[in-house]
Amino acid sequence: MPNPLPSAEIQAIAFAQAQADAIMTMTNDMLSLNDTLNMDEMFYAMSQIDPVSAMASAGMDVGMNNLTDGYRMILAETPFFAGLDETTLSAMSTISQTNVMQYVSSAGGHAIGEVMSGIIGGKSSTQIRNSIMNMMGTTGNPISRKQAEVFTHTAQRTFSRQVIRVQSEQMSPDTKHVYVGVIDDRTRDVCLAMAGSGELTLQQIDERYAGSFIDGGGFNCRHNWQPVTSSSRK
């Protein structure tokens, strides 16, 4: 039986779905204008659209709640073992979530561009709408629902690892760390190697697995380095 999805990952999925729904609503709103405006008027109206604001009005505000909840949940899963100022933690969370919202803005901008291209190309509203829907279902496309899910979940996990790293920097240089996380059929070979590498100091981790303390094994990685405690050795 596959492992159940962590709460934060579920919120990332909900956030991505909210983005997809908002893009379709924004697309339909733009196409409705196309029925009443000439091309010059249409393109001017589209140039005035702020993607994030338009998508928020199109229901993305619910997705933003999912995003906030996801970050709250990922913090609940993150170990705290050294002093970390609350202001610093809040600032780190804000920066990470802002990065996700910039991705949303980019996705919305791509959708606006696709509508313009469709109009110039003489496509019907139905053809443009279907094109947007196909893009949302294509992995790797800038407005893909799956792409948004992976980006959001990766941002959450990266934030968690950043919080751990800031704390680990305050520990003795001799402090040992182990690579922890679920091991299943989704686990990358590099993560299996790090999980099997035993106890390492920060310097050893940075030398042997450069960048892994923050990035883990890559996009969507569910693992992190954590300091060894007496309880974790049992």
Side-chain angles (χ1 to χ4, degrees), residues 19-137:
Q19 174 182 294
D21 292 343
I23 285 176
M24 281 313 306
T25 298
M26 185 176 68
T27 297
N28 288 329
D29 289 345
M30 286 187 287
L31 292 175
S32 67
L33 289 176
N34 193 41
D35 294 333
T36 59
L37 303 178
N38 63 41
M39 184 177 291
D40 291 340
E41 294 169 334
M42 178 64 181
F43 290 166
Y44 176 77
M46 291 171 64
S47 73
Q48 302 305 300
I49 297 174
D50 172 65
V52 172
S53 297
M55 291 172 69
S57 299
M60 191 65 203
D61 52 342
V62 176
M64 293 174 184
N65 290 336
N66 292 128
L67 181 66
T68 301
D69 288 345
Y71 272 79
R72 176 175 54 79
M73 292 171 181
I74 206 71
L75 270 183
E77 300 171 12
T78 302
F80 285 86
F81 49 87
L84 184 58
D85 183 78
E86 189 67 31
T87 301
T88 300
L89 182 62
S90 177
M92 291 172 65
S93 177
T94 297
I95 291 169
S96 184
Q97 291 187 60
T98 298
N99 186 38
V100 176
M101 291 312 299
Q102 287 174 339
Y103 180 88
V104 171
S105 177
S106 177
H110 275 288
I112 293 170
E114 287 301 322
V115 171
M116 184 177 72
S117 293
I119 293 172
I120 294 173
K123 291 182 179 179
S124 68
S125 292
T126 298
Q127 289 173 320
I128 294 173
R129 190 178 295 109
N130 288 341
S131 177
I132 296 289
M133 291 178 66
N134 288 336
M135 290 178 180
M136 287 195 295

Side-chain angles (χ1 to χ4, degrees), residues 170-219:
Q170 302 176 44
M171 309 288 282
S172 165
D174 297 326
T175 300
K176 298 297 183 71
H177 296 72
V178 290
Y179 197 67
V180 300
V182 63
I183 301 297
D184 56 20
D185 59 359
R186 293 170 57 192
T187 305
R188 295 178 173 93
D189 289 343
V190 65
C191 288
L192 290 173
M194 289 190 283
S197 62
E199 301 178 4
L200 303 175
T201 64
L202 278 183
Q203 182 176 344
Q204 290 172 327
I205 293 168
D206 290 343
E207 290 174 350
R208 298 185 192 182
Y209 305 106
S212 69
F213 209 106
I214 301 299
D215 299 327
F219 278 103

